[in-house]
């Protein structure tokens, strides 16, 4: 009997060996519904790319919008290499999981298109943060090396692709994804996992087109033919762009999943405040009604607005300076939003394109006025105040200088994008002239905030040959190098 029992156990274990060796807490991507993976990617990416490390500590400071009151090292560019490595990993983890969706879904399906659009968003941020990077695409017949996420093919040290190749490919991929969604041929549902846009196909079409505009605007001075063609094509289909604040691409948080800035505030109430540049621009230069939304009166007198300089080494006397406004950093709870893309950006990009004489179906002045109006409305400014502000001498004219100033203001709480718009701004604009290098910078020989991040230590250690070829062009470890699309002169 014992021999028979042993035989039966052996046979049973052998026949179900694969099942026994499965980790129920780590299922294969093929076993997980794509909507679940999408849910993870959206929440994970938003939680980590709009938090205190990826956003508040550094890129919000580089853009000149937020200053640090305590633990001020990042403010003057004494950053933590481990955070740089983690930020790189965040992008890779999100995009690697989105690749799982793209790999297993029908390339003519809605889910494939949505995953492609969101992956292109992450790629855009990653290349704008580090420049040339290992990249992965579904496009064939390009000069891209396409070696990222190829471990199953034996590629452990992926080659870097040039930003000059990545950007055009992102436009190609987004155009294809949008065309799939617009065709109406796919009948698959995105599902409950879409916490960003609730499975709304029209909203995803608008998101994809708006990303095409954002990317093309970056290329306006370096690849003008491609930029012009893309912007004119997308602008001609204005109904499929975000054109009102109802179309804003915001991830909304709740008590179960707290908004990152508000959640951090609850443990570090005196670490960040509105910058001196932001407060002075709104208060003194423009008399901007968004001041009371973007910042709080000082606790010292309850009525004055005072910004703190970016990069001050000393800990601030916090009662004398303005905190970040409650709409952007909820000080009474943990709800709030993370802004992936705003509708006002669409009109700033159209105004910028119109300034170059491109045909975008709207005049430079009309697009600019619409963009400023949308930003004011987003911040609940009443109509009378909007009318007065737009008619004011400092605001009313749609000069390139004013376009960039207002564009930058509108991007509050999206430090990465605000930093990129600053890097796009011509050197004769208010924004470029006033977003100066941090006051106590460790790098006094530089004349502007960082050009991009230096490559993280993980890449230097694990992908040394390929990374060394790229990092050789860095000005120094932290200052990085100019973006391919950054055509400003005289920077150091």
């Amino acid at each position: 009997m014992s021999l028979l029992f042993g035989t039966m156990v052996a046979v049973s274990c052998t026949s179900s060996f694969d099942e026994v060796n499965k980790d129920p807490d780590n299922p294969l991507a093929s076993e997980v519904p794509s909507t679940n993976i999408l849910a993870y990617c959206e929440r994970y990416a938003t939680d980590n790319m709009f938090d205190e490390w990826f956003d508040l500590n550094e890129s919000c400071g580089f853009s000149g919008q937020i200053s640090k009151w305590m633990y001020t090292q990042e403010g003057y560019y004494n950053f933590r290499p481990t955070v740089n490595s983690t930020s790189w990993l965040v992008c890779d983890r999100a995009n690697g999981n989105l690749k799982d969706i793209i790999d297993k879904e029908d390339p003519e399906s809605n889910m494939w298109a949505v995953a492609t659009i969101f992956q292109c968003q992450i790629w855009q941020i990653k290349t704008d943060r580090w420049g040339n990077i290992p990249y992965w695409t579904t496009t064939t017949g390009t000069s891209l090396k396409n070696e990222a996420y190829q471990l199953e093919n034996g590629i452990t040290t992926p080659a870097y692709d040039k930003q000059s190749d990545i950007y055009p490919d992102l436009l190609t991929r987004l155009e294809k994804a949008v065309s799939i969604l617009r065709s109406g041929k796919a009948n698959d549902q995105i599902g409950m996992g879409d916490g960003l846009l609730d499975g709304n196909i029209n909203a995803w079409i608008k998101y994809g087109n708006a990303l095409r505009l954002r990317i093309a605007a970056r290329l306006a001075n370096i690849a003008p033919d491609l930029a012009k063609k893309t912007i004119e094509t997308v602008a001609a289909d204005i109904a499929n762009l975000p054109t009102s604040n109802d179309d804003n691409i915001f991830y909304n948080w709740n008590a179960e999943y707290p908004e990152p800035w508000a959640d951090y505030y609850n443990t570090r109430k005196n670490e960040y405040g509105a910058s001196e540049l932001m407060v002075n621009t709104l208060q003194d230069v423009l008399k901007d009604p968004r001041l009371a939304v973007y910042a709080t009166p000082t606790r010292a007198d309850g009525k004055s607005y005072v910004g703190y300089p970016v990069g001050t080494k000393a800990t601030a006397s916090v009662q004398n300076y303005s905190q970040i406004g409650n709409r952007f950093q909820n000080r009474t709870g943990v709800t709030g939003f993370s802004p992936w893309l705003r509708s006002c950006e669409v009109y700033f990009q159209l105004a910028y394109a119109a300034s170059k004489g491109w045909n975008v179906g709207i005049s430079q002045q009309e697009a600019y006025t619409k963009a400023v109006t949308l930003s004011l409305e987003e911040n609940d400014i009443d109509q009378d105040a909007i009318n007065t502000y737009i008619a004011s001498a400092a605001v009313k004219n749609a000069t390139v200088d004013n376009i960039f100033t207002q564009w930058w203001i509108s991007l509050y709480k999206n430090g990465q994008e605000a930093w990129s718009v600053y890097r796009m701004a011509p050197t004769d604009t208010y924004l470029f002239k006033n977003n100066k290098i941090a006051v106590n910078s460790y790098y006094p020989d530089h004349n502007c905030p960082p050009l991009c991040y230096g490559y993280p230590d993980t890449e230097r250690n694990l992908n040394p040959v390929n990374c060394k070829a790229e990092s050789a062009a860095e000005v120094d470890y932290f200052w990085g190098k100019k973006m391919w699309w950054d055509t400003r002169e005289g920077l150091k």
Side-chain angles (χ1 to χ4, degrees):
M1 177 65 75
S2 61
L3 178 60
L4 178 59
F5 176 76
T7 303
M8 291 174 64
V9 169
V11 171
S12 176
C13 289
T14 302
S15 65
S16 60
F17 183 80
D18 290 340
E19 294 294 326
V20 169
N21 281 277
K22 283 185 177 179
D23 181 351
D25 294 325
N26 290 285
L28 299 174
S30 59
E31 300 172 321
V32 180
S34 290
T35 193
N36 293 46
I37 302 176
L38 180 66
Y40 168 79
C41 291
E42 289 178 351
R43 192 194 69 80
Y44 173 82
T46 311
D47 197 18
N48 286 278
M49 298 176 83
F50 289 89
D51 71 351
E52 68 276 12
W53 298 112
F54 201 99
D55 193 32
L56 267 171
N57 269 340
E58 292 163 11
S59 57
C60 281
F62 303 164
S63 72
Q65 293 188 336
I66 301 294
S67 62
K68 292 202 73 178
W69 291 353
M70 301 175 63
Y71 311 104
T72 58
Q73 291 88 339
E74 288 89 357
Y76 52 86
Y77 316 138
N78 182 19
F79 77 114
R80 307 180 196 193
T82 53
V83 172
N84 196 26
S85 294
T86 299
S87 296
W88 180 281
L89 175 62
V90 163
C91 296
D92 278 349
R93 182 168 291 166
N95 269 348
N97 278 277
L98 289 164
K99 179 180 180 294
D100 287 339
I101 298 176
I102 294 167
D103 282 344
K104 74 176 185 174
E105 292 293 333
D106 182 337
E108 296 297 323
S109 66
N110 291 328
M111 180 60 81
W112 187 96
V114 163
T116 294
I117 289 170
F118 198 57
Q119 192 187 63
C120 287
Q121 169 77 96
I122 309 297
W123 281 125
Q124 174 250 306
I125 293 172
K126 185 173 181 181
T127 188
D128 282 350
R129 203 167 176 95
W130 286 283
N132 299 342
I133 52 175
Y135 178 70
W136 177 84
T137 181
T138 53
T139 311
T140 58
T142 71
S143 58
L144 290 159
K145 299 180 180 69
N146 203 30
E147 292 190 358
Y149 314 139
Q150 299 291 329
L151 184 61
E152 69 275 14
N153 295 322
I155 300 175
T156 57
T157 54
Y160 283 59
D161 280 304
K162 295 180 180 179
Q163 192 176 56
S164 56
D165 292 326
I166 293 171
Y167 253 92
D169 187 63
L170 291 176
L171 291 175
T172 297
R173 295 181 67 194
L174 286 166
E175 182 179 14
K176 179 178 180 181
V178 167
S179 69
I180 290 168
L181 295 177
R182 291 198 63 185
S183 72
K185 294 178 181 178
N187 57 14
D188 62 301
Q189 300 297 309
I190 306 307
M192 295 180 64
D194 183 11
L196 184 61
L197 294 174
D198 296 324
N200 186 323
I201 297 300
N202 288 333
W204 277 102
I205 290 170
K206 292 179 179 183
Y207 189 10
N209 278 335
L211 283 175
R212 293 167 71 190
L213 275 188
R214 176 187 281 182
I215 290 168
R218 294 272 203 281
L219 309 185
N221 297 318
I222 194 69
D225 291 343
L226 176 59
K228 179 176 183 290
K229 178 181 178 182
T230 301
I231 291 174
E232 289 185 346
T233 298
V234 175
D237 189 24
I238 193 73
N240 283 299
L241 278 167
T243 56
S244 76
N245 286 313
D246 290 337
D247 296 329
N248 289 338
I249 316 298
F250 286 2
Y251 195 97
N252 294 299
W253 300 89
N254 54 38
E256 184 177 3
Y257 295 107
E259 189 275 315
W261 282 28
D263 194 37
Y264 194 72
Y265 174 82
N266 285 327
T267 57
R268 296 282 184 87
K269 298 183 185 300
N270 294 313
E271 188 164 347
Y272 302 98
S275 73
E276 182 179 63
L277 174 58
M278 180 59 77
V279 171
N280 288 356
T281 299
L282 297 179
Q283 179 171 248
D284 302 328
V285 178
L286 299 176
K287 306 296 188 290
D288 195 308
R290 286 169 291 189
L291 175 64
V293 184
Y294 281 32
T296 67
T298 67
R299 283 168 277 183
D301 65 12
K303 59 183 179 180
S304 301
Y305 291 91
V306 183
Y308 198 61
V310 173
T312 301
K313 288 185 179 180
T315 298
S317 300
V318 296
Q319 70 274 11
N320 295 322
Y321 296 96
S322 294
Q323 292 179 294
I324 298 166
N326 191 59
R327 176 173 185 256
F328 299 94
Q329 188 174 56
N330 189 341
R331 296 188 305 283
T332 59
V334 291
T335 60
F337 66 97
S338 297
W340 283 101
L341 191 145
R342 291 171 158 101
S343 298
C344 65
E345 294 178 60
V346 166
Y347 286 97
F348 282 120
Q349 289 149 2
L350 294 180
Y352 181 47
S355 76
K356 297 181 175 297
W358 300 348
N359 180 15
V360 294
I362 188 172
S363 72
Q364 180 175 338
Q365 184 66 50
E366 289 173 315
Y368 166 77
T369 301
K370 177 71 170 176
V372 177
T373 300
L374 280 170
S375 179
L376 292 163
E377 289 174 346
E378 180 201 321
N379 289 284
D380 293 325
I381 307 303
D382 68 64
Q383 191 60 53
D384 288 343
I386 290 174
N387 295 341
T388 300
Y389 182 71
I390 288 177
S392 66
V395 176
K396 64 181 180 180
N397 295 320
T399 63
V400 170
D401 196 345
N402 283 347
I403 289 170
F404 274 96
T405 300
Q406 292 289 336
W407 194 350
W408 172 79
I409 292 169
S410 76
L411 290 166
Y412 207 51
K413 202 175 183 177
N414 189 340
Q416 174 69 36
E417 188 61 21
W419 178 34
S420 291
V421 166
Y422 157 73
R423 287 178 289 175
M424 292 169 60
T427 55
D428 60 350
T429 58
Y430 170 87
L431 177 56
F432 178 82
K433 291 177 180 178
N434 287 276
N435 186 24
K436 302 180 186 299
I437 190 170
V439 291
N440 288 118
S441 171
Y442 267 22
Y443 305 93
D445 293 334
H446 294 302
N447 63 2
C448 67
L451 303 171
C452 78
Y453 279 81
Y455 291 107
D457 285 350
T458 46
E459 279 295 290
R460 296 171 190 269
N461 295 331
L462 301 176
N463 193 3
V465 174
N466 292 314
C467 186
K468 184 177 180 180
E470 297 297 333
S471 62
E474 293 175 354
V475 178
D476 57 47
Y477 179 65
F478 189 56
W479 230 256
K481 57 187 176 183
K482 282 174 63 175
M483 296 283 100
W484 163 66
W485 47 259
D486 185 349
T487 58
R488 298 173 298 171
E489 299 291 340
L491 306 184
K492 62 178 184 177

